[in-house]
Amino acid sequence: MDFKQKLQQAATSKDFDALLQLVPYAQFIGMECERYGDEMVFRLPAKEENIGNPMLPALHGGVMAGFMEMSAIIQLMVMMQTPRVPKIVDFSIDYLRAGLLRDTFCECIITRQGRRVANVNISIWQSSRKQPIATARAHFLLE
Amino acid sequence: MALPNRGEIPLTGYAQRFVDQLAQCRTLGIRTVEASERHIILELPYQTRIIGYPDTGVIHGGVITTLADTACGAVVVCALRHATGNVELSPTLDLRVDYMMAAKPEQPVFCYAECHKLTSAIAFVRAIVYQDDINNPVAQAVGSFMRIGPELVTEQFRKDMEGG
């Protein structure tokens, strides 16, 4: 089975972990996905290599952004049941609290999806969903 | 591309010591090409484990963001060093990245960042991510960073930054 077929199969069977396995960067930061019924939550387990600030220690802001971007990509692919990986157009992140060396969770809300462009709101948290450590909005080109 | 003699750019070593403090940047092998109180250039080597688009080998946008965030944070640290003489850190408040084109596989990616305004509370930064031509960028970024003062820097971190 070639790569496109694997992606297609993972997207149509809503097998998020299989999709994550296919993307080296998702493995590099160590992200996972958990499904609770129809709802999905992405998880980034605490990992030393993902640290930015060594004094707190805190997650690198870029890793948080990468985790959020990858979560949005997976969610879009599954929603559209497509093997095409959406292309990121822009990504704007607000850092709200330090991301400590703990498990981090991500939720994406696809706010608008036109024929070519999707707007996604993304938020990540650690101890409580009501206290996000960062929020972001991003545009993706679907093609 | 003719780069100035690295020895003449005064904060290059200081910036590299900052980058080396960040575990994610050590893992990625990010290197400081040059740094002054106003600008920095970082280099990220190509590697297959950061691929985001496996069918083409293009690296993930998240790594571009990591590179831009690191360059912006490092140039603020350099600007603060020059302005105050202190080792001072400043966390990112916000960062916006526009992705103009995919980075070419098998080639390093560079990020040029400049701190164009430093106030008593905030540092404003912009950055360009590019490969062979800065006028044909892969991405551009703009961000703001909050100053938290030198008191929050631990003695160990200060020593590591001074390169004693």
Side-chain angles (χ1 to χ4, degrees):
Chain A
M1 199 169 10
D2 73 4
F3 176 71
K4 274 250 148 56
Q5 287 172 310
K6 281 187 196 160
L7 273 183
Q8 178 74 60
Q9 192 186 54
T12 46
S13 62
K14 301 193 176 184
D15 188 345
F16 299 87
D17 262 331
L19 270 177
L20 288 173
Q21 296 287 341
L22 291 170
V23 180
Y25 182 73
Q27 301 300 309
F28 177 71
I29 59 172
M31 66 181 281
E32 300 166 354
C33 179
E34 283 164 29
R35 279 189 80 183
Y36 302 97
D38 280 344
E39 202 177 334
M40 67 200 88
V41 175
F42 298 91
R43 189 163 79 99
L44 185 69
K47 191 177 166 195
E48 295 279 332
E49 291 81 9
N50 289 341
I51 291 174
N53 181 336
M55 290 181 291
L56 281 175
L59 291 177
H60 194 298
V63 174
M64 295 193 225
F67 172 49
M68 294 164 98
E69 185 188 323
M70 191 67 228
S71 301
I73 287 173
I74 298 286
Q75 189 138 334
L76 280 168
M77 287 178 73
V78 169
M79 195 192 75
M80 298 186 306
Q81 309 238 316
T82 172
R84 288 195 208 93
V85 183
K87 286 205 177 89
I88 183 126
V89 179
D90 59 56
F91 187 91
S92 182
I93 181 166
D94 289 314
Y95 294 96
L96 307 171
R97 294 176 177 82
L100 303 176
L101 188 58
R102 309 181 179 160
D103 289 9
T104 308
F105 303 92
C106 178
E107 183 183 50
C108 310
I109 297 164
I110 297 166
T111 308
R112 192 192 82 93
Q113 199 224 302
R115 215 156 47 83
R116 300 193 62 203
V117 176
N119 173 305
V120 188
N121 279 280
I122 311 157
S123 107
I124 54 171
W125 70 90
Q126 290 185 325
S127 50
S128 158
R129 193 187 283 241
K130 292 194 180 109
Q131 294 184 316
I133 59 170
T135 56
R137 50 182 276 279
H139 288 99
F140 291 89
L141 202 56
L142 306 168
E143 296 181 302
Chain B
M1 187 164 53
L3 288 174
N5 182 346
R6 272 164 214 156
E8 292 168 13
I9 312 284
L11 290 169
T12 304
Y14 187 75
Q16 183 62 46
R17 288 194 290 280
F18 171 74
V19 172
D20 280 341
Q21 288 290 318
L22 317 178
Q24 176 68 17
C25 298
R26 289 197 303 272
T27 307
L28 288 169
I30 292 176
R31 184 180 74 88
T32 307
V33 177
E34 60 181 57
S36 72
E37 74 281 2
R38 194 179 157 87
H39 88 291
I40 192 168
I41 300 175
L42 297 185
E43 177 182 2
L44 168 75
Y46 182 78
Q47 44 208 297
T48 53
R49 59 195 182 144
I50 56 171
I51 288 173
Y53 299 85
D55 46 343
T56 56
V58 170
I59 63 173
H60 199 277
V63 196
I64 302 287
T65 312
T66 298
L67 180 66
D69 187 33
T70 305
C72 291
V75 79
V76 173
V77 166
C78 290
L80 287 169
R81 169 66 168 189
H82 181 78
T84 70
N86 287 325
V87 176
E88 201 179 318
L89 292 180
S90 53
T92 318
L93 280 178
D94 77 1
L95 187 72
R96 180 204 160 100
V97 186
D98 290 320
Y99 301 87
M100 269 97 75
M101 65 176 191
K104 289 189 219 71
E106 310 291 342
Q107 290 182 30
V109 180
F110 298 91
C111 182
Y112 169 91
E114 63 178 12
C115 179
H116 55 282
K117 179 73 181 172
L118 190 61
T119 75
S120 58
I122 305 288
F124 297 94
V125 183
R126 53 194 172 209
I128 300 174
V129 178
Y130 62 100
Q131 289 185 299
D132 28 46
D133 181 5
I134 198 167
N135 295 311
N136 186 26
V138 168
Q140 64 181 20
V142 57
S144 53
F145 289 70
M146 181 176 56
R147 291 180 63 175
I148 53 174
E151 302 80 17
L152 290 173
V153 174
T154 60
E155 201 46 48
Q156 183 60 48
F157 191 86
R158 195 188 323 276
K159 272 189 193 146
D160 292 339
M161 285 297 287
E162 300 295 1

